[in-house]
Amino acid sequence: MRDVKQDNARHAPGERRSCPSSTDPRPLAAFARGAPTLGPDPRRPGRVSLCRASGGLPPVCCPLPHAGDGRGAQEDGAHDDQPGCDRAGGGSLRPSRARPDARDADLRGSRLHAREGARARARLRGRAGGRDRAGRGRHLRRSHPGGEYPGDRDPVRFGRGRNAAGRGLDAVVDGLPDPARAEAPHQDIPRGVPLAVRRGQPTVWLNPHRAPTADGLPTRAVSLADVEAALARWRRFEPLLARLFDELETGRIDSPLRALSEPVARRVLGGAGGTVWVKADHELPVTGCIKARGGVYEVLVYAEALAREAGLLGPREGYARLAEPEARRVFGAHTVAVGSTGNLGFSVGVMARALGFRVEVHMSRDAKAWKKRRLREIGAEVVEHAGDYGSAVAAARTGFQGRPDAHFVDDEDSLDLFLGYATAAFDLRRQLAEAGVTVDRDHPLFVYLPCGVGGAPGGVTLGLKLLFGDAVRCIFVEPVAAPCMLVQLAAGLERTVSVYDVGLDNRTAADGLAVARASMLVARMVRGLIEAVATVSDDALHAWLRDLWHAAGLRLEPSAAAGFAAVRPFLTALPPPNPARATHVVWTTGGALLPEAEFQKALRGSAAEPAAE
Ligand SMILES: Cc1ncc(COP(=O)(O)O)c(C=O)c1O
């Protein structure tokens, strides 16, 4: 939630904070500053949903840029009727420097804020769903033509309003002013993070920073040529990989793209139309999870550099030579280290051990015991840390700094990892083409990606954006207790923010996603690229995990089921114009190698149990 004091300090005394009309020529400073509020959906004219405008203030109805073209076109239409539009209590439009008397203004402002917030909430409830017996606003559910679905038990909060034409609207009503924040205006809560997120409620956060791909692609970071070079490296290593791993006949690490059957797809979509595919990285050979795309790739980069340095890769040498004793001697004098929730450690560990490296995996003491056991079985040294995943990474990073005989795979800050993930986009493009799926402006592709520290979904997103441009829409999915990317993007990139900073505890059954602080490298990369971040509850993960096992035979770990739990909430918040023409790809990121006992436990839905056994 935006800091009340700053917002109020931005208003000159007596300034009328009005709702700008659609013809208001003033720049959308409030929107650009990026705090949440309720207003016309920038992507869908006539719709209302969570967007970010002048934060911390009552809901504002602003003309917002169309994200469709992202060029800041003004929204037309009589938006007074939109739920949450408040002509009397609109948002700040002109940023101004904090005044010396800002503290008093803060306090005055916070009271004003609380009153206006209460009025706005009451107004919204009146339109959105009436009142319950206790006088609290209730949130209407949409009827789901597709029938009961596992996420039904914890939907995003929806409201129902009317647009100017009198038609019903669906509204994501999160992001309203936060009374607690108003009562404690000086607490150091990061701004911009919607109240619903901070309360741990499933939420769809529509990314106000999304820009047309051409503008949103990071300018100085990764280009298509970089991703193509990474793909070429994978290809060079195929003979070696085929030699090292029996299951890799071609030496290619890729997963199938599976179509979901009609009835299951209908449940996932809630009758919205379109087709649903599963990008089955839970079946990825060698490691059974998406992290192999980055982890294996980075080990190959390191091995290639060492081998060249040692003269093992002359112009005529094939890469299969790196499985020979001579190369193993070179690698054996080096250590590959990584901090991990488990799956990255396993991916790095399997590849590095296969080449003969020493391996150290730094993990939180809370990480799954079976993941540690499995790492030890492949000959990796597991170092346990008292804190969470982030502190394990930090400790390992420090420990390996400056060591010439070691390479630290930095899950939070590695471009090589990122490039490895990004190459997955080429596989998906090929598979979609083979399946006869058209992806273009009229046939959008929606991709749902579970997000932990951000590298895997971020890399895939970048790769897809480079290949499909604006035709692809990527949605990150995080657990309600660990929405680190949402929190970071919503709060802004000026400083790092953790989920603890907003009162969440990072405890989730989705251990691969139990990350308190997102990678800043990734946050910067994806800020302009992703469509939304959805948060989902552990109960929803377990429900989908069960459903997909029984109905589709997908054997997933809880993290990997996250994408399914997000589809309906996302489509309700931001329905595509022609749903029947949309293709949805849910990325299932891990699970095939889950021990049977663990899988059975996940099926029983023992949510958020302590990870250590
Ligand atoms: C199964 C699974 N899915 C998704 C992710 C998320 O990847 P990232 O942490 O790169 O965002 C992880 C991370 O370990 C994972 O193990």
Side-chain angles (χ1 to χ4, degrees):
M1 184 60 57
R2 189 164 188 78
D3 193 330
V4 176
K5 55 188 175 192
Q6 294 213 0
D7 278 316
N8 286 292
R10 283 193 179 101
H11 293 281
E15 180 186 346
R16 182 175 150 77
R17 297 189 293 161
S18 65
C19 174
S21 75
S22 58
T23 52
D24 192 322
R26 285 176 292 184
L28 296 172
F31 180 76
R33 276 203 314 279
T37 187
L38 187 76
D41 186 326
R43 332 279 169 81
R44 306 273 299 128
R47 260 179 202 284
V48 173
S49 64
L50 173 65
C51 61
R52 284 154 59 102
S54 57
L57 290 164
V60 183
C61 179
C62 290
L64 298 173
H66 287 289
D69 58 28
R71 308 239 174 234
Q74 301 283 297
E75 179 97 22
D76 282 330
H79 48 264
D80 291 8
D81 275 356
Q82 306 282 17
C85 175
D86 179 12
R87 279 198 176 273
S92 161
L93 288 167
R94 203 176 328 118
S96 67
R97 298 216 162 75
R99 303 193 317 269
D101 59 344
R103 195 167 183 280
D104 289 346
D106 295 342
L107 294 169
R108 280 197 307 275
S110 63
R111 279 181 218 118
L112 174 73
H113 169 77
R115 275 202 307 275
E116 289 179 343
R119 273 206 302 274
R121 276 191 298 280
R123 206 171 29 251
L124 189 74
R125 279 187 216 118
R127 295 184 188 186
R131 310 198 139 259
D132 64 13
R133 280 207 215 131
R136 287 190 303 265
R138 65 185 154 82
H139 305 290
L140 290 187
R141 291 270 188 79
R142 306 184 78 201
S143 62
H144 295 290
E148 178 68 15
Y149 75 108
D152 259 336
R153 267 170 289 147
D154 57 280
V156 178
R157 298 183 300 148
F158 294 113
R160 190 145 264 265
R162 319 226 122 244
N163 66 5
R167 286 194 304 270
L169 291 173
D170 301 311
V172 177
V173 295
D174 291 309
L176 291 174
D178 174 357
R181 184 74 190 86
E183 281 150 23
H186 298 294
Q187 233 169 284
D188 187 23
I189 298 174
R191 286 178 263 151
V193 182
L195 175 62
V197 172
R198 290 167 32 207
R199 284 184 172 157
Q201 291 166 334
T203 308
V204 177
W205 180 78
L206 300 176
N207 178 13
H209 310 294
R210 188 177 76 78
T213 304
D215 300 347
L217 281 173
T219 43
R220 278 169 293 120
V222 179
S223 69
L224 182 59
D226 295 320
V227 186
E228 284 169 343
L231 192 65
R233 179 174 282 113
W234 275 117
R235 299 290 173 263
R236 288 199 294 278
F237 271 95
E238 279 172 6
L240 175 68
L241 293 172
R243 183 161 166 188
L244 290 173
F245 301 104
D246 290 344
E247 61 188 300
L248 290 182
E249 261 177 48
T250 62
R252 194 165 288 194
I253 298 184
D254 191 22
S255 66
L257 179 67
R258 300 196 183 285
L260 273 190
S261 70
E262 238 274 313
V264 182
R266 208 159 353 112
R267 277 210 294 285
V268 174
L269 292 170
T275 49
V276 184
W277 298 79
V278 172
K279 181 61 179 149
D281 270 11
H282 67 285
E283 298 177 32
L284 208 65
V286 182
T287 68
C289 82
I290 193 171
K291 298 296 279 188
R293 295 182 180 277
V296 168
Y297 178 76
E298 182 151 342
V299 174
L300 298 183
V301 174
Y302 184 48
E304 190 178 51
L306 288 177
R308 282 197 200 289
E309 210 175 281
L312 295 168
L313 285 175
R316 277 182 297 281
E317 318 289 344
Y319 275 59
R321 184 175 179 201
L322 301 187
E324 303 289 335
E326 195 188 358
R328 293 182 71 81
R329 261 197 305 279
V330 172
F331 299 145
H334 293 81
T335 299
V336 176
V338 62
S340 172
T341 57
N343 285 338
L344 179 65
F346 187 65
S347 304
V348 167
V350 165
M351 188 65 241
R353 290 298 300 144
L355 288 169
F357 286 103
R358 290 197 298 260
V359 171
E360 243 182 63
V361 182
H362 291 251
M363 300 176 82
S364 157
R365 199 167 291 156
D366 283 346
K368 296 274 184 197
W370 66 269
K371 291 190 174 176
K372 294 179 204 161
R373 198 166 48 239
R374 201 173 53 179
L375 279 162
R376 291 185 176 114
E377 279 163 14
I378 61 167
E381 187 183 338
V382 176
V383 182
E384 299 189 43
H385 295 264
D388 65 5
Y389 149 87
S391 23
V393 172
R397 186 187 292 125
T398 308
F400 280 88
Q401 216 157 32
R403 268 187 51 180
D405 64 334
H407 177 73
F408 175 63
V409 177
D410 196 331
D411 202 11
E412 291 178 355
D413 201 27
S414 163
L415 215 47
D416 283 327
L417 275 182
F418 198 75
L419 284 168
Y421 299 125
T423 58
F426 285 87
D427 294 326
L428 181 60
R429 182 174 67 170
R430 175 180 43 77
Q431 289 168 322
L432 288 170
E434 283 167 5
V437 176
T438 303
V439 178
D440 58 26
R441 236 173 206 289
D442 294 332
H443 301 84
L445 172 66
F446 293 85
V447 183
Y448 303 85
L449 294 150
C451 176
V453 75
V460 170
T461 295
L462 182 80
L464 290 172
K465 282 287 180 185
L466 287 167
L467 296 185
F468 292 111
D470 292 331
V472 68
R473 311 289 168 98
C474 295
I475 298 99
F476 283 17
V477 190
E478 302 190 300
V480 287
C484 61
M485 188 59 76
L486 191 165
V487 162
Q488 187 64 66
L489 293 177
L493 300 180
E494 296 78 33
R495 64 174 174 123
T496 57
V497 173
S498 87
V499 302
Y500 305 125
D501 296 335
V502 298
L504 297 171
D505 65 4
N506 191 28
R507 288 188 68 78
T508 167
D511 62 314
L513 314 183
V515 177
R517 202 184 297 268
S519 156
M520 287 304 276
L521 172 86
V522 176
R524 290 197 181 95
M525 294 265 201
V526 302
R527 180 178 184 267
L529 300 180
I530 61 173
E531 195 73 12
V533 184
T535 63
V536 297
S537 72
D538 280 4
D539 283 349
L541 296 183
H542 285 294
W544 277 108
L545 188 137
R546 269 192 297 276
D547 195 48
L548 290 158
W549 170 241
H550 295 302
L554 299 179
R555 193 177 187 281
L556 307 176
E557 59 179 278
S559 303
F564 291 100
V567 178
R568 276 190 169 195
F570 172 74
L571 290 178
T572 310
L574 196 63
N578 288 303
R581 292 197 202 147
T583 299
H584 301 269
V585 171
V586 182
W587 215 288
T588 51
T589 48
L593 300 189
L594 207 60
E596 185 55 25
E598 288 296 321
F599 182 61
Q600 290 302 328
K601 222 191 294 180
L603 279 180
R604 288 195 297 276
S606 35
E609 64 195 276
E613 283 166 353

